[in-house]
Amino acid sequence: MPERTVSIATGNGQLSAYWATGATAAGGGEPRPGVLVLHELFGLTDDIRRIARRFAEHGYVALAPDLYSVDRAPRPICMRRTMQALGAGGGRPLDDIEAARGWLADRPEVDASRLAVAGFCMGGGFAILYAARAPVGAVADFYGAVPDEAAALEGICPVVGAYGGRDAVFGGHAERLRGHLEQLGVEHEVTLYPEAGHSFMSEYGRLQSLLVRFGPMQAGGHQPSADAAWTRMLEFFERQLSG
């Protein structure tokens, strides 16, 4: 599968991103839908690259920007600044995501009228904030933080969301997101998977598994929930991007 790391110019500096496309898209033919894949707190890991490749296997051109790559500060400082931007609902990360979208939309393999964004954990929070202000047709929020007020999501495109019922920190955000979207009149599918905890879509390495094993989020992969959520998301994206 064609894949590589690319560098994207932004107003803040050079943004590194992982790009993956299926063989058909790489070899020509009709332009494909594109998807931005937004990483969790750990950053652009091999697991996020795996998810981007999985999108490519299903016919998407996938781009996963490294939201820490523009900030040259030590990683802990980058994490803190990025999380602060998420809490504030704006800032450099959203600008960098927009630069990534522009790069993806300009690719000859991509149909710029059929773009989606999928985010995981921290990336899920950024995904719904970004989708409220960007020309994308669908957004997938995997266990991301949801703003307190529905107004923060005004203008958002159709949303598919997935949360873990065993996640005592973010599980309740499923109902908050559902309520906001109902108030705004936005099409949505928000599902709470009762046997899953936080980050149930992830396949962590040993170190990350040790870091997330204990705590109220009950973080860790749960394959049955992950399979169901992936299928639901693909079906939702296909409906929303078919035109």
Side-chain angles (χ1 to χ4, degrees), residues 116-240:
V117 56
F120 301 83
C121 184
M122 181 185 76
F126 277 121
I128 55 176
L129 288 175
Y130 178 70
R133 64 191 74 185
V136 293
V139 56
D141 165 25
F142 290 95
Y143 32 83
V146 178
D148 292 336
E149 303 297 331
L153 303 183
E154 188 82 43
I156 197 169
C157 59
V159 179
V160 58
Y163 288 80
R166 298 176 63 218
D167 181 354
V169 177
F170 290 100
H173 286 232
E175 187 58 36
R176 182 188 296 177
L177 179 59
R178 191 180 295 116
H180 287 354
L181 297 173
E182 289 174 356
Q183 179 179 335
L184 295 170
V186 174
E187 183 177 351
H188 62 278
E189 291 184 16
V190 180
T191 304
L192 189 70
Y193 294 89
E195 297 182 358
H198 194 72
S199 296
F200 65 85
M201 298 291 289
S202 297
E203 295 180 3
Y204 285 133
R206 180 177 299 177
L207 176 59
Q208 291 168 328
S209 295
L210 289 173
L211 289 173
V212 303
R213 180 176 299 173
F214 304 104
M217 292 194 294
Q218 296 292 300
H222 187 262
Q223 199 61 48
S225 299
D227 290 342
W230 182 263
T231 298
R232 184 184 296 271
M233 177 195 63
L234 288 179
E235 292 174 349
F236 189 87
F237 278 9
E238 183 175 359
R239 290 196 304 273
Q240 301 304 326

